[in-house]
Amino acid sequence: MTSSEANASVIGKICSLLRAAGAEEPSGASTTALARAAGIARPTTHRLLSTLADQGFVDRDAGTGRWSLGPEIYLLGSMAALRYDITDQARKVVQALATESGESAFLSVRRGSETVCLLRVEGSFPLRSHVLYEGIRLPLGVASAGLAILAHLPDREVDEYLDGVNLVPEWGESHSAVAIRRRIAHTRTTGFAVNPALLVEGSWGLGAAVFDRADKPAWALSLTGVETRFRDDRRRELGKMLLDAAHRLTVQLGERPSPG
């Protein structure tokens, strides 16, 4: 392995550890748990975490030995939020979506081959789905938000993604490449994605893509609820509601000033 390859490998491991630590906030995680989540040997994990702690990117609780994200992550995140965080602009749209539909409404963002839920607003209907929560990461094609984004990518990017990932071991046969391609085709026809209780029995979801200034699907709005609330007629009604909200948010984001 060349020095540049070795450096790239270390950087990749560090990124995996930071993502794993972020997934365990706010309680933190042990060295062993982070090593397992990142797929890195425990001694290497401890060495990397210790170096990250010296730089302020992670903290370690002296009592429990659990690792959490550190202050440098917060500072860098605050700077990045000026460019990437749209939750303030989206909050009213998501709130209106939850109020109008009565279902739980969400905003998710694309991060590479995943979506991350940024915002959740509960609807008025007392029975709710708890599949999604703020901070959860899911692969593209899993859940309605990730499917909506994937369906609006160019065919070449869809092919590259599906050729390079196998979602079946973790998510089941309903997430084979063939099955996802069928749902992509349906999403492109209707404009919105449907998750017919593929993650949790009885919990349905609908998603619609939100586009950036380059007309790329960078975010998604979604609704989740119990199956009885997502019958055919109402699903079409909710889908139109979602598409209208996604269009409004896309327009709003296109009009916001660029960070200086």
Side-chain angles (χ1 to χ4, degrees):
M1 181 182 293
T2 66
S3 59
S4 61
E5 290 173 336
N7 289 337
S9 176
V10 171
I11 292 171
K13 290 175 181 177
I14 289 172
C15 292
S16 296
L17 283 174
L18 291 174
R19 289 193 186 98
E24 298 297 332
E25 290 291 337
S27 59
S30 68
T31 304
T32 300
L34 292 178
R36 186 184 306 115
I40 303 171
R42 190 185 186 285
T44 302
T45 295
H46 188 272
R47 176 172 55 82
L48 291 175
L49 288 171
S50 297
T51 302
L52 288 169
D54 290 340
Q55 299 296 322
F57 288 96
V58 296
D59 276 334
R60 193 178 196 191
D61 187 288
T64 66
R66 298 173 76 86
W67 300 91
S68 301
L69 296 179
E72 281 297 323
I73 293 291
Y74 169 76
L75 294 173
L76 292 175
S78 297
M79 294 298 98
L82 297 175
R83 181 177 297 274
Y84 296 108
D85 186 13
I86 68 163
T87 51
D88 284 345
Q89 295 94 326
R91 196 174 303 276
K92 287 185 178 179
V93 174
V94 178
Q95 179 66 66
L97 195 55
T99 299
E100 186 178 0
S101 68
E103 313 299 340
S104 298
F106 304 84
L107 170 72
S108 297
V109 62
R110 181 188 178 190
R111 286 291 176 264
S113 61
E114 298 179 316
T115 58
V116 183
C117 181
L118 299 178
L119 181 62
R120 171 180 180 140
V121 177
E122 300 289 4
S124 58
F125 190 68
L127 294 179
R128 295 168 182 164
S129 167
H130 296 283
V131 176
L132 296 183
Y133 53 86
E134 292 177 3
I136 188 173
R137 289 176 175 265
L138 294 169
L140 292 180
V142 174
S144 58
L147 180 60
I149 289 173
L150 186 63
H152 286 87
L153 292 176
D155 288 340
R156 176 183 54 80
E157 292 186 38
V158 173
D159 292 341
E160 288 177 355
Y161 173 69
L162 292 178
D163 289 345
V165 69
N166 181 11
L167 301 175
V168 172
E170 183 171 359
W171 302 100
E173 287 295 335
S174 61
H175 291 90
S176 68
V178 172
I180 290 176
R181 287 185 188 279
R182 284 199 297 265
R183 291 197 290 278
I184 286 174
H186 185 265
T187 301
R188 288 175 171 177
T189 298
T190 62
F192 60 90
V194 179
N195 170 28
L198 298 178
L199 301 184
V200 175
E201 185 177 357
S203 177
W204 280 56
L206 303 181
V210 176
F211 298 86
D212 62 17
R213 291 180 178 179
D215 202 30
K216 296 180 179 179
W219 306 274
L221 296 175
S222 57
L223 293 169
T224 68
V226 295
E227 183 174 1
T228 54
R229 300 270 291 175
F230 283 72
R231 302 300 187 192
D232 287 350
D233 289 347
R234 190 162 191 270
R235 200 157 61 238
R236 288 191 289 270
E237 176 187 342
L238 292 174
K240 183 180 185 306
M241 199 182 297
L242 260 177
L243 290 172
D244 289 345
H247 176 71
R248 289 198 307 274
L249 184 54
T250 295
V251 171
Q252 289 179 24
L253 294 176
E255 293 173 346
R256 65 176 176 164
S258 300

PDB file of all heavy atoms in Angstrom, residues 87-99:
ATOM      1  N   THR A  87     -33.039  23.536   8.143  1.00  0.00           N
ATOM      2  CA  THR A  87     -34.158  23.221   9.037  1.00  0.00           C
ATOM      3  C   THR A  87     -34.970  24.452   9.397  1.00  0.00           C
ATOM      4  O   THR A  87     -36.193  24.360   9.541  1.00  0.00           O
ATOM      5  CB  THR A  87     -33.671  22.519  10.318  1.00  0.00           C
ATOM      6  OG1 THR A  87     -32.606  23.283  10.897  1.00  0.00           O
ATOM      7  CG2 THR A  87     -33.169  21.123  10.015  1.00  0.00           C
ATOM      8  N   ASP A  88     -34.323  25.600   9.559  1.00  0.00           N
ATOM      9  CA  ASP A  88     -35.089  26.806   9.886  1.00  0.00           C
ATOM     10  C   ASP A  88     -36.039  27.173   8.757  1.00  0.00           C
ATOM     11  O   ASP A  88     -37.200  27.512   8.995  1.00  0.00           O
ATOM     12  CB  ASP A  88     -34.141  27.975  10.168  1.00  0.00           C
ATOM     13  CG  ASP A  88     -33.484  27.868  11.533  1.00  0.00           C
ATOM     14  OD1 ASP A  88     -33.978  27.067  12.358  1.00  0.00           O
ATOM     15  OD2 ASP A  88     -32.471  28.551  11.765  1.00  0.00           O
ATOM     16  N   GLN A  89     -35.550  27.103   7.509  1.00  0.00           N
ATOM     17  CA  GLN A  89     -36.408  27.420   6.365  1.00  0.00           C
ATOM     18  C   GLN A  89     -37.499  26.379   6.187  1.00  0.00           C
ATOM     19  O   GLN A  89     -38.601  26.684   5.745  1.00  0.00           O
ATOM     20  CB  GLN A  89     -35.574  27.510   5.080  1.00  0.00           C
ATOM     21  CG  GLN A  89     -34.574  28.658   5.071  1.00  0.00           C
ATOM     22  CD  GLN A  89     -33.202  28.209   5.542  1.00  0.00           C
ATOM     23  OE1 GLN A  89     -33.075  27.335   6.406  1.00  0.00           O
ATOM     24  NE2 GLN A  89     -32.170  28.816   4.976  1.00  0.00           N
ATOM     25  N   ALA A  90     -37.189  25.125   6.540  1.00  0.00           N
ATOM     26  CA  ALA A  90     -38.135  24.033   6.285  1.00  0.00           C
ATOM     27  C   ALA A  90     -39.157  23.850   7.398  1.00  0.00           C
ATOM     28  O   ALA A  90     -40.193  23.216   7.183  1.00  0.00           O
ATOM     29  CB  ALA A  90     -37.363  22.725   6.098  1.00  0.00           C
ATOM     30  N   ARG A  91     -38.885  24.374   8.575  1.00  0.00           N
ATOM     31  CA  ARG A  91     -39.712  24.062   9.741  1.00  0.00           C
ATOM     32  C   ARG A  91     -41.188  24.390   9.515  1.00  0.00           C
ATOM     33  O   ARG A  91     -42.075  23.600   9.843  1.00  0.00           O
ATOM     34  CB  ARG A  91     -39.192  24.800  10.977  1.00  0.00           C
ATOM     35  CG  ARG A  91     -39.748  24.250  12.288  1.00  0.00           C
ATOM     36  CD  ARG A  91     -39.083  24.928  13.470  1.00  0.00           C
ATOM     37  NE  ARG A  91     -37.638  24.784  13.446  1.00  0.00           N
ATOM     38  CZ  ARG A  91     -36.986  23.722  13.913  1.00  0.00           C
ATOM     39  NH1 ARG A  91     -37.669  22.710  14.420  1.00  0.00           N
ATOM     40  NH2 ARG A  91     -35.673  23.671  13.859  1.00  0.00           N
ATOM     41  N   LYS A  92     -41.476  25.557   8.957  1.00  0.00           N
ATOM     42  CA  LYS A  92     -42.875  25.934   8.743  1.00  0.00           C
ATOM     43  C   LYS A  92     -43.555  25.011   7.734  1.00  0.00           C
ATOM     44  O   LYS A  92     -44.730  24.672   7.885  1.00  0.00           O
ATOM     45  CB  LYS A  92     -42.958  27.394   8.272  1.00  0.00           C
ATOM     46  CG  LYS A  92     -42.662  28.417   9.358  1.00  0.00           C
ATOM     47  CD  LYS A  92     -42.874  29.832   8.859  1.00  0.00           C
ATOM     48  CE  LYS A  92     -42.619  30.857   9.955  1.00  0.00           C
ATOM     49  NZ  LYS A  92     -42.805  32.253   9.462  1.00  0.00           N
ATOM     50  N   VAL A  93     -42.814  24.597   6.716  1.00  0.00           N
ATOM     51  CA  VAL A  93     -43.375  23.701   5.704  1.00  0.00           C
ATOM     52  C   VAL A  93     -43.681  22.339   6.317  1.00  0.00           C
ATOM     53  O   VAL A  93     -44.749  21.756   6.091  1.00  0.00           O
ATOM     54  CB  VAL A  93     -42.410  23.555   4.507  1.00  0.00           C
ATOM     55  CG1 VAL A  93     -42.924  22.504   3.525  1.00  0.00           C
ATOM     56  CG2 VAL A  93     -42.229  24.892   3.803  1.00  0.00           C
ATOM     57  N   VAL A  94     -42.750  21.824   7.115  1.00  0.00           N
ATOM     58  CA  VAL A  94     -42.951  20.523   7.754  1.00  0.00           C
ATOM     59  C   VAL A  94     -44.091  20.596   8.763  1.00  0.00           C
ATOM     60  O   VAL A  94     -44.920  19.685   8.858  1.00  0.00           O
ATOM     61  CB  VAL A  94     -41.646  20.039   8.419  1.00  0.00           C
ATOM     62  CG1 VAL A  94     -41.858  18.712   9.133  1.00  0.00           C
ATOM     63  CG2 VAL A  94     -40.542  19.900   7.379  1.00  0.00           C
ATOM     64  N   GLN A  95     -44.151  21.685   9.518  1.00  0.00           N
ATOM     65  CA  GLN A  95     -45.234  21.859  10.485  1.00  0.00           C
ATOM     66  C   GLN A  95     -46.587  21.916   9.786  1.00  0.00           C
ATOM     67  O   GLN A  95     -47.562  21.278  10.228  1.00  0.00           O
ATOM     68  CB  GLN A  95     -45.023  23.150  11.282  1.00  0.00           C
ATOM     69  CG  GLN A  95     -46.102  23.445  12.309  1.00  0.00           C
ATOM     70  CD  GLN A  95     -46.138  22.435  13.427  1.00  0.00           C
ATOM     71  OE1 GLN A  95     -45.195  22.348  14.218  1.00  0.00           O
ATOM     72  NE2 GLN A  95     -47.206  21.650  13.521  1.00  0.00           N
ATOM     73  N   ALA A  96     -46.664  22.653   8.685  1.00  0.00           N
ATOM     74  CA  ALA A  96     -47.920  22.749   7.940  1.00  0.00           C
ATOM     75  C   ALA A  96     -48.323  21.402   7.369  1.00  0.00           C
ATOM     76  O   ALA A  96     -49.514  21.053   7.344  1.00  0.00           O
ATOM     77  CB  ALA A  96     -47.773  23.785   6.820  1.00  0.00           C
ATOM     78  N   LEU A  97     -47.341  20.629   6.940  1.00  0.00           N
ATOM     79  CA  LEU A  97     -47.604  19.297   6.392  1.00  0.00           C
ATOM     80  C   LEU A  97     -48.189  18.384   7.468  1.00  0.00           C
ATOM     81  O   LEU A  97     -49.154  17.639   7.219  1.00  0.00           O
ATOM     82  CB  LEU A  97     -46.305  18.720   5.833  1.00  0.00           C
ATOM     83  CG  LEU A  97     -46.366  17.509   4.912  1.00  0.00           C
ATOM     84  CD1 LEU A  97     -47.279  17.752   3.724  1.00  0.00           C
ATOM     85  CD2 LEU A  97     -44.953  17.165   4.430  1.00  0.00           C
ATOM     86  N   ALA A  98     -47.624  18.431   8.663  1.00  0.00           N
ATOM     87  CA  ALA A  98     -48.135  17.621   9.773  1.00  0.00           C
ATOM     88  C   ALA A  98     -49.536  18.068  10.178  1.00  0.00           C
ATOM     89  O   ALA A  98     -50.416  17.234  10.448  1.00  0.00           O
ATOM     90  CB  ALA A  98     -47.187  17.707  10.963  1.00  0.00           C
ATOM     91  N   THR A  99     -49.761  19.364  10.199  1.00  0.00           N
ATOM     92  CA  THR A  99     -51.069  19.894  10.594  1.00  0.00           C
ATOM     93  C   THR A  99     -52.142  19.529   9.579  1.00  0.00           C
ATOM     94  O   THR A  99     -53.240  19.081   9.936  1.00  0.00           O
ATOM     95  CB  THR A  99     -50.991  21.423  10.740  1.00  0.00           C
ATOM     96  OG1 THR A  99     -50.034  21.758  11.755  1.00  0.00           O
ATOM     97  CG2 THR A  99     -52.347  22.004  11.124  1.00  0.00           C
TER      98      THR A  99
END
